[in-house]
Amino acid sequence: MNHPVEPVAHGRRLLAAAPDPGLRRSLVAWLGSAGHAVEAVGTGAAAVTSLGPQRFDLIIMDMDIPDLRELSRHRPTLVERPPILCITSCESLEQVVPEIGTEVSDYVTKPCRGPELLARVQVLLRTRTADREPVLRHDDLVLDEAVCQVWRGERRLEITAAEYRLLRHLLLNAGRVLSKEQLALQVWGESRTANTVERLMSRLRHKVDRTRPALIHTRRGFGYWLGDRATPRT
């Protein structure tokens, strides 16, 4: 099985930190509709906790967030910290840096609008594309973003575009439990219902898990995760 090595600009893992639940929900919907996997938190301390065990391609930070300077205090643990895009009332990047106390790559002014935010995100991610292999893997499951094909071992899976987007999001969040509502919001920006997600998941599991061991699991009352059967992250 040969896979192209040319990197392509597909979705990334993003960390969004904002104290306002409405803004967090909007960020997840905007960025998810563009194909990105988004983890949303409400405090600077929670952002640092997420940055510890996980790798992100970009941080989006509302400057009204509590304990904003947690990021600068934890500099020794964030050697490979990704770029930071600030959401702020400031009118220049020079005003933003003293407030946050660390390096900032770009900013958008409030009120935050989806199209402008997505444009800034695209510019910041473009510089990181060359370092990213366009293949997502878990065990013998391979999703090749360059040609939009999925393999389980030597078996090529025939999946629909909707199933592809769902599987890709599960791979980007491997080991993390995601509810049907989260998947609908993060993958399609709420253009799918929880019942639709359940039907798509059933079809996807039938195709992926024809080969054992099973990789897509259900945590009753919580949601789905892709990975080993060991206890997932919540």
Side-chain angles (χ1 to χ4, degrees):
M1 176 172 55
N2 296 319
H3 293 284
V5 296
E6 271 295 314
V8 291
H10 289 283
R12 310 293 186 84
R13 285 190 54 79
L14 310 181
L15 177 64
D20 177 20
L23 177 57
R24 287 201 303 273
R25 188 173 179 84
S26 293
L27 291 172
V28 170
W30 292 336
L31 297 164
S33 67
H36 303 297
V38 186
E39 178 168 340
V41 297
T43 67
V48 169
T49 299
S50 293
L51 283 165
Q54 301 181 64
R55 295 182 66 88
F56 293 93
D57 295 290
L58 178 68
I59 302 171
I60 301 168
M61 183 77 64
D62 182 352
M63 287 186 59
D64 288 335
I65 202 163
D67 53 23
L68 181 66
R69 288 180 176 265
E70 286 290 323
L71 282 171
S72 59
R73 293 196 195 101
H74 287 75
R75 185 184 301 272
T77 66
L78 302 176
V79 176
E80 299 182 5
R81 183 170 54 212
I84 297 176
L85 173 66
C86 277
I87 302 172
T88 177
S89 299
C90 296
E91 297 181 354
S92 71
L93 196 60
E94 289 73 21
Q95 291 178 307
V96 173
V97 174
E99 291 292 327
I100 193 172
T102 190
E103 298 84 357
V104 176
S105 301
D106 200 357
Y107 72 102
V108 293
T109 56
K110 296 182 177 181
C112 184
R113 296 177 176 84
E116 180 186 4
L117 179 87
L118 290 174
R120 299 297 181 95
V121 166
Q122 182 179 2
V123 169
L124 291 175
L125 291 177
R126 194 174 295 150
T127 60
R128 299 173 70 85
T129 299
D131 298 327
R132 186 175 183 270
E133 184 186 11
V135 173
L136 300 176
R137 305 173 187 271
H138 185 87
D139 196 41
D140 61 347
L141 178 64
V142 177
L143 184 150
D144 190 329
E145 296 182 288
V147 292
C148 297
Q149 292 182 0
V150 178
W151 297 78
R152 182 79 198 267
E154 296 300 316
R155 178 170 59 91
R156 179 180 168 184
L157 308 187
E158 297 295 334
I159 64 176
T160 65
E163 292 164 355
Y164 176 91
R165 292 187 67 178
L166 182 59
L167 179 60
R168 182 179 168 281
H169 195 73
L170 290 171
L171 280 164
L172 284 168
N173 290 276
R176 181 176 296 279
V177 176
L178 299 169
S179 70
K180 288 178 282 190
E181 293 75 17
Q182 284 177 309
L183 288 166
L185 176 65
Q186 294 172 8
V187 180
W188 293 285
E190 291 188 307
S191 64
R192 297 288 194 280
T193 65
N195 287 340
T196 300
V197 172
E198 186 173 358
R199 289 195 297 271
L200 285 170
M201 188 69 74
S202 177
R203 296 205 303 261
L204 184 62
R205 294 175 80 163
H206 178 73
K207 296 174 182 180
V208 171
D209 290 339
R210 278 177 52 197
T211 301
R212 297 293 174 176
L215 294 179
I216 301 176
H217 310 285
T218 302
R219 186 172 182 183
R220 191 172 297 278
F222 290 90
Y224 306 98
W225 85 94
L226 183 146
D228 303 325
R229 191 169 287 282
T231 304
R233 303 193 306 273
T234 56

